[in-house]
């Protein structure tokens, strides 16, 4: 158990592996066609490493009403709350992930 | 302990194996994957395979030293970007550990599990990923063959054809007609011809304002039609005439010596003719039996594996990938996901699944963008279907700044995706 927790600590510190094969990691492969790494100065905002709660809030809001959103609401409408949560948690963990 | 879910378990194993044992968690050390085609689909697949597991030997067979993207090639034709801005080399893929093999793949031999290169060399594989794009049908329209394409360029594969059409447009006489022919579905990039008409109109409105554009269409309606027509009326009033199939009866033939396109109801003459012929899967797909008796590759839409040749996965424009359109965005997403599927199959694990997205931006002008988006999931019958109630087009009524924002996002998308693939 102690060893288990030590491993868990290591895993959480390292963040998720970018190229893991979980459903949310596979879905993120589409997101990253547009959302660049945090270092890039692009019109589309980078999302890697942003707090999960912020990402969940933004996606949920855009799914409910487009407002001045150009495109994200068209994607979010296809995702369940659980999928939004899992995707946000995965993406928020990516900052500093060895890649 | 309830936070210890499957994803963290995977992260944990790789952190453990990578950090403490300094060996990949996946026992696929000797696995060989050959990827055919160095475009959006193939590059994405090759690069993602290396990101998943460096130990997989990945060979990418590419036709040339560099690759020019069709996305943003309409900006090159309109004189807004140089060819060099849409042309990329494979150096960074090589730096990621991908073996780059230049040359044409003649055929993929699924039985012997080798890719046969022109010249006879053979590349053995455990699994192959094939994304060779399209072939233009030079036998479908009387008068339109490869020689005719030098006079009436298609510019539907980016490269010398793009420059040829750009130069012809720039040299067109004052008040001339830019005549386009567009095939019926399916073809590469459904909104691409109409983006081209828009950007040519943008060029003409500044450099040759009395010129006209005629689009002879092989179908009656097209992608983002209401948005395009609204934008044309606003930005280029009276310049673009779209002739639907019902009005012309379709193309009967072309005459490169007179620059004519003949239809049952009217013969169209251009000063510059951009003839986009019907298309099918690239030659290597057909030579490898991947299309069966049809023109496009039939695949399992959850795994991209050929329904005809086991062990060979096909994606991108060459395949029928459920409801996804033939776009560079789609091909790259499919390549990424296919890499995960192949890596899992090499470990004898069940192939993973996620949600796939697509966005096709079209530029009406450098400051005016529109988009169509889609979300796709594999359904209970194993078909990759568009998710109901999601996706769709940009709205027709928008606030100030919306079209400019979508144009900015189009540029942002292009820079990010080409950076991820080639940077
Ligand atoms: C004018 C235009 C505008 C477009 N705009 C957009 C856009 O804005 N957004 C978007 O998402 N998509 C756009 N597209 C569509 C996009 O270009 C294609 O969907 C995309 O290129 C498909 O990727 P692919 O990997 O299937 O094929 P390709 O990108 O064509 O790559 C296939 C590669 O394989 C090579 N090849 C073929 N046969 C062999 C062989 N036997 N051996 C070795 N190599 C081989 C080819 O030379 C090519 O380099 C546009 C297309 C056009 C024509």
């Amino acid at each position: 158990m102690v060893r288990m927790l030590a491993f868990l600590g290591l895993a959480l510190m390292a963040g998720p592996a970018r190229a893991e094969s979980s459903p949310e990691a596979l879905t993120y492969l589409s997101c990253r066609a547009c959302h660049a790494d945090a270092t890039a100065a692009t019109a589309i905002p980078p999302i890697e490493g942003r707090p999960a709660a912020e990402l969940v809030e933004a996606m949920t809001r855009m799914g409910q009403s487009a407002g001045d959103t150009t495109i994200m609401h068209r994607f979010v409408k296809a995702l369940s709350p659980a999928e939004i949560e899992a995707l946000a948690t995965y993406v928020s963990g990516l900052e500093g992930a060895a890649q | 302990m309830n936070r210890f879910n499957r994803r963290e378990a995977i992260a944990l194993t790789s952190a453990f194996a990578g950090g403490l044992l300094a060996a990949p968690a996946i026992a696929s050390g000797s696995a060989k994957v050959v990827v055919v085609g160095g475009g959006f689909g193939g590059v994405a697949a090759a690069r993602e395979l290396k990101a998943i597991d460096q130990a997989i030997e990945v060979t990418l067979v590419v036709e040339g030293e560099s690759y020019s993207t069709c996305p943003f090639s309409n900006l090159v034709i309109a004189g807004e970007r140089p060819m060099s801005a849409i042309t990329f080399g494979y150096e960074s893929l090589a730096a990621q550990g991908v073996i780059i093999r230049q040359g044409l793949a003649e055929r993929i031999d699924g039985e012997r599990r080798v890719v046969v290169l022109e010249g006879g060399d053979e590349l053995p594989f455990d699994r192959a990923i094939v994304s060779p794009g399209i072939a233009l049908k030079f036998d479908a329209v009387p008068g339109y063959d490869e020689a005719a394409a030098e006079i009436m360029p298609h510019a539907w594969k980016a490269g010398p054809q793009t420059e040829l059409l750009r130069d012809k447009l720039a040299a067109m006489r004052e008040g001339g007609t830019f005549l386009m022919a567009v095939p019926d579905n399916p073809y590469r990039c459904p909104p691409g011809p109409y983006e081209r008409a828009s950007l040519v109109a943008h060029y003409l409105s500044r450099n040759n304002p009395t010129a006209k554009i005629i689009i002879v269409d092989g179908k009656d309606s097209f992608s983002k039609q209401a948005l395009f027509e609204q934008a044309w009326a606003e930005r280029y009033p009276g310049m673009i005439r779209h002739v639907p199939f019902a009005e012309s009866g379709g193309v009967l033939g072309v005459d490169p010596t007179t620059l004519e396109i003949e239809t049952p109801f009217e013969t169209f003459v251009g000063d510059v003719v951009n003839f986009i012929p019907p298309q099918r899967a690239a030659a290597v797909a057909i030579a490898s039996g991947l299309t069966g008796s049809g023109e496009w590759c039939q695949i399992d839409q959850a795994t991209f594996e050929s329904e005809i040749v086991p062990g060979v996965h096909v994606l991108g424009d060459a395949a029928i990938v459920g409801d996804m359109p033939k776009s560079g965005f789609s091909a790259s997403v499919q390549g990424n996901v296919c890499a995960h599927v192949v890596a899992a199959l090499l470990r004898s694990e069940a192939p993973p699944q996620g949600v796939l997205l697509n966005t096709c931006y079209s530029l009406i002008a450098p400051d005016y963008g529109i988009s169509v988006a889609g979300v796709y999931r594999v359904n209970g019958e194993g078909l990759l279907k568009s998710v109901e109630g999601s996706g769709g087009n940009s709205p027709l009524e928008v606030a100030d700044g919306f079209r400019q924002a979508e144009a900015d996002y189009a540029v942002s998308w292009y820079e990010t995706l080409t950076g991820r693939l080639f940077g």
Side-chain angles (χ1 to χ4, degrees):
Chain A
M1 191 61 200
V2 173
R3 274 181 58 190
M4 216 29 192
L5 286 174
F7 290 162
L8 184 59
L10 185 63
L12 293 178
M13 253 170 21
R18 208 282 296 155
E20 67 179 50
S21 296
S22 60
E24 53 274 19
L26 259 66
T27 300
Y28 181 64
L29 293 170
S30 288
C31 311
R32 72 195 289 277
C34 290
H35 292 278
D37 297 336
T39 49
T42 46
I44 298 173
I47 50 175
E48 291 183 6
R50 297 263 288 269
E54 182 191 316
L55 294 173
V56 170
E57 188 277 320
M59 281 193 275
T60 308
R61 178 171 38 75
M62 290 185 290
Q64 281 158 0
S65 118
D68 57 359
T69 305
T70 59
I71 205 162
M72 275 301 298
H73 57 290
R74 302 184 232 166
F75 298 132
V76 171
K77 283 191 181 130
L79 302 178
S80 70
E83 284 175 322
I84 289 176
E85 181 88 36
L87 186 59
T89 306
Y90 169 77
V91 172
S92 75
L94 284 176
E95 196 176 43
Q99 235 313 92
Chain B
M1 220 52 231
N2 60 350
R3 292 195 54 202
F4 183 63
N5 60 24
R6 197 169 74 81
R7 182 174 58 69
E8 280 154 350
I10 294 168
L12 190 154
T13 2
S14 46
F16 172 67
L20 303 180
L21 298 181
I26 316 163
S28 46
S30 59
K32 286 185 170 61
V33 177
V34 177
V35 183
V36 174
F40 280 89
V43 167
R47 205 162 169 154
E48 188 68 9
L49 271 170
K50 277 295 181 187
I52 297 166
D53 185 356
Q54 269 293 334
I56 302 174
E57 186 186 298
V58 182
T59 305
L60 178 66
V61 182
V62 302
E63 193 170 338
E65 239 164 64
S66 61
Y67 172 77
S68 297
T69 66
C70 285
F72 279 31
S73 67
N74 289 331
L75 283 171
V76 174
I77 291 165
E80 295 287 329
R81 287 195 177 208
M83 201 62 199
S84 60
I86 62 161
T87 303
F88 302 89
Y90 298 107
E91 296 78 13
S92 74
L93 271 113
Q96 307 278 321
V98 176
I99 302 164
I100 305 292
R101 182 69 195 250
Q102 205 181 312
L104 271 184
E106 207 170 80
R107 87 200 139 80
I108 296 122
D109 186 331
E111 226 153 87
R112 293 174 50 232
R113 301 233 162 175
V114 292
V115 172
V116 184
L117 299 180
E118 211 175 53
D121 282 2
E122 295 189 344
L123 305 174
F125 63 78
D126 296 297
R127 289 194 173 264
I129 300 177
V130 184
S131 187
I134 54 154
L136 300 158
K137 283 168 50 172
F138 284 120
D139 51 4
V141 178
Y144 198 74
D145 53 15
E146 264 167 283
E150 294 303 310
I151 302 161
M152 302 171 145
H154 51 79
W156 220 241
K157 289 185 179 189
Q161 278 275 314
T162 311
E163 295 177 290
L164 184 62
L165 188 58
R166 174 198 63 196
D167 295 346
K168 283 184 184 290
L169 171 65
M172 189 167 83
R173 75 171 170 89
E174 206 184 310
T177 298
F178 186 90
L179 177 59
M180 294 178 73
V182 181
D184 193 5
N185 296 317
Y187 63 94
R188 158 174 286 180
C189 194
Y194 313 98
E195 179 191 67
R196 177 170 292 170
S198 307
L199 290 175
V200 167
H202 171 73
Y203 171 85
L204 291 174
S205 63
R206 293 165 167 221
N207 297 287
N208 192 346
T210 56
K212 295 269 179 280
I213 299 170
I214 301 176
I215 308 167
V216 180
D217 212 326
K219 54 196 173 304
D220 284 329
S221 60
F222 59 89
S223 172
K224 294 182 266 190
Q225 183 162 0
L227 287 163
F228 275 112
E229 286 175 344
Q230 179 189 56
W232 292 344
E234 193 185 312
R235 287 288 177 104
Y236 316 116
M239 188 178 260
I240 302 173
R241 175 182 165 207
H242 177 254
V243 184
F245 178 87
E247 199 182 313
S248 76
V251 174
L252 293 175
V254 305
D255 187 344
T257 58
T258 54
L259 296 177
E260 284 176 348
I261 296 179
E262 198 199 332
T263 72
F265 301 142
E266 192 173 343
T267 297
F268 298 89
V269 192
D271 292 280
V272 174
V273 182
N274 171 210
F275 194 88
I276 306 167
Q279 296 149 35
R280 56 169 172 73
V284 66
I286 292 179
S288 309
L290 293 165
T291 55
S293 55
E295 301 199 307
W296 305 99
C297 303
Q298 309 278 343
I299 57 169
D300 176 322
Q301 293 170 14
T303 64
F304 307 96
E305 188 162 2
S306 167
E307 286 186 339
I308 303 169
V309 187
V312 177
H313 301 251
V314 193
L315 49 88
D317 286 358
I320 299 167
V321 190
D323 287 349
M324 294 189 85
K326 296 189 187 305
S327 77
F329 192 123
S330 291
S332 73
V333 165
Q334 292 159 12
N336 280 326
V337 172
C338 186
H340 285 264
V341 167
V342 165
L345 292 173
L346 289 172
R347 297 182 302 239
S348 306
E349 288 171 12
Q353 256 170 40
V355 174
L356 285 79
L357 310 182
N358 175 66
T359 306
C360 289
Y361 285 106
S362 297
L363 292 170
I364 302 299
D367 65 344
Y368 190 128
I370 57 175
S371 63
V372 55
V375 184
Y376 308 87
R377 277 181 202 272
V378 177
N379 71 7
E381 283 124 58
L383 300 175
L384 192 58
K385 285 286 186 196
S386 178
V387 178
E388 232 174 277
S390 68
N393 293 338
S394 310
L396 278 167
E397 304 293 326
V398 292
D400 282 355
F402 195 98
R403 306 287 189 218
Q404 171 77 60
E406 288 223 279
D408 294 343
Y409 293 156
V411 172
S412 180
W413 162 75
Y414 183 79
E415 285 172 358
T416 297
L417 183 57
T418 54
R420 296 237 187 249
L421 295 174
F422 298 101

